[in-house]
Amino acid sequence: MSTNVTLIGGTALAVVLTTTAFAQDAHDGPPPMSEEDQAISEALQARMGDTSTQMGSVPIPGSAGDCGETPGFDRMLCLIDLLKADVSDDIMENLQVDYSRTVAEYWSNLPAGAFPKRPGVLLGELNTKQRGLVKAIMLEATSGEVDEGFDEMVQTLNADDYINTVSTDYKAGYSSYNTKFAFLGTPAATGTWELYYGGHHMAFANTYVDGALAGATPSFRGVEPFPYFEMNGRVNAPLTQERDAFATLLSALSDEQRAAAELEGTYRDILAGPQADDAVPDTFEGLPVSELDQDQTDLLLAAIETYVGDISPREAEAYMARYTAELADTYLGYSGTPQMSAEDDYVRVHGPSLWIEFSLQSNKSTGKVGNHPHSVWRDLADDYGGQTE
């Protein structure tokens, strides 16, 4: 089967047999907002607060020690209770909202002001102590490795601060402080709730059911500029390891394997992006992973781990075990060049439950010649923690 992607009216249109799916496109800017969304956006901009301490350097407050040193779910709940007890009623109203699948779907690759329906409180509304507690919470839910998990997200936030120095694109308030943090539902050892952290080019959504992680997707990452930039006291290079892992894998294929993996058409963006939850094709395309040798299979698993490794190690291990067990029914596909360095280069991994996409498109917000990536990890079995309502 083949997938042809063209650009129609500023939206990526994916045609898979008779199935049509839409995804936001980065080339033409955000879609026009309704009057309701415009009002929400204006109210959002009025909520901007202190921006004196960056998330990468914000200290974790001493009170976090009251939650012990044993990492895991119980410590995360304790840290959440500390944060909730420290914020005002006005902040709390936005920090914790009722869970619904509809609200969970309000994530986007667009800047805050261009997609104002994201749930949560702006980081800029929190004081330094409260941001430190957010940092501690996220460190419990994610990997502590450099360029993975929370560190990768901090670098993505730094990119917005960089863009703010060179661009007025969207006029939507580029800033690391325009990222949202939220609890959808009440964090507890029973019931369903989601830990959400997202903004421009980022969506982290861990859904917990009865004290266990039920789903770590949708998980979206993007960044501009790419592949690296200096901002907030460090060299930032988020998503370079994902790109390099796929480029190494595709370069390790034989000519015959690359021909089998090549997809028809041009992909201007990912398919299963924000507000495109049903865009994953029903059919498999590309090269069956069963045709890879062991070294190539190891390279594929290394590429997958750059996504799954964003969550805590114990939870990532369970996902990797499942995806490894499904490799016989998994497919690798790409379009463009195998170097993954040119505009419209695209790669995907599609298994019974795994869906990963990486797409390069021209720069939008920095005004500089070059490309930047959008990327997504979806789990077809437990996206949104398997919640439907």
Side-chain angles (χ1 to χ4, degrees), residues 156-224:
T156 303
L157 298 183
N158 290 343
D160 259 24
D161 288 335
Y162 177 91
I163 292 172
N164 193 44
T165 68
V166 299
S167 175
T168 58
D169 181 40
Y170 295 133
K171 299 189 183 299
Y174 281 116
S175 168
S176 59
Y177 295 101
N178 294 345
T179 299
K180 292 283 196 70
F181 183 74
F183 310 121
L184 312 187
T186 302
T190 58
T192 298
W193 62 281
E194 179 186 299
L195 174 63
Y196 175 76
Y197 190 68
H200 181 220
H201 276 158
M202 182 177 68
F204 175 89
N206 270 14
T207 304
Y208 299 90
V209 177
D210 293 337
L213 181 68
T217 64
S219 182
F220 181 97
R221 303 290 184 275
V223 67
E224 185 183 350

Side-chain angles (χ1 to χ4, degrees), residues 299-321:
L299 290 174
L300 172 62
L301 289 171
I304 294 171
E305 195 161 12
T306 63
Y307 292 81
V308 179
D310 284 336
I311 61 176
S312 70
R314 179 178 57 83
E315 292 161 336
E317 184 178 351
Y319 272 104
M320 288 302 299

Side-chain angles (χ1 to χ4, degrees), residues 289-310:
V289 170
S290 59
E291 296 183 12
L292 300 180
D293 64 29
Q294 188 58 55
D295 288 342
Q296 293 167 333
T297 300
D298 289 344
L299 290 174
L300 172 62
L301 289 171
I304 294 171
E305 195 161 12
T306 63
Y307 292 81
V308 179
D310 284 336

Side-chain angles (χ1 to χ4, degrees), residues 193-277:
W193 62 281
E194 179 186 299
L195 174 63
Y196 175 76
Y197 190 68
H200 181 220
H201 276 158
M202 182 177 68
F204 175 89
N206 270 14
T207 304
Y208 299 90
V209 177
D210 293 337
L213 181 68
T217 64
S219 182
F220 181 97
R221 303 290 184 275
V223 67
E224 185 183 350
F226 184 75
Y228 67 89
F229 60 96
E230 293 186 24
M231 193 67 200
N232 293 336
R234 67 179 291 182
V235 175
N236 302 270
L239 289 178
T240 55
Q241 63 175 353
E242 286 83 350
R243 189 276 304 277
D244 292 349
F246 278 125
T248 301
L249 169 61
L250 292 173
S251 297
L253 301 180
S254 67
D255 291 342
E256 292 78 11
Q257 287 174 317
R258 271 196 297 273
E262 190 166 6
L263 305 169
E264 294 184 18
T266 298
Y267 289 76
R268 303 292 303 278
D269 202 346
I270 60 174
L271 303 183
Q275 289 73 66
D277 295 318

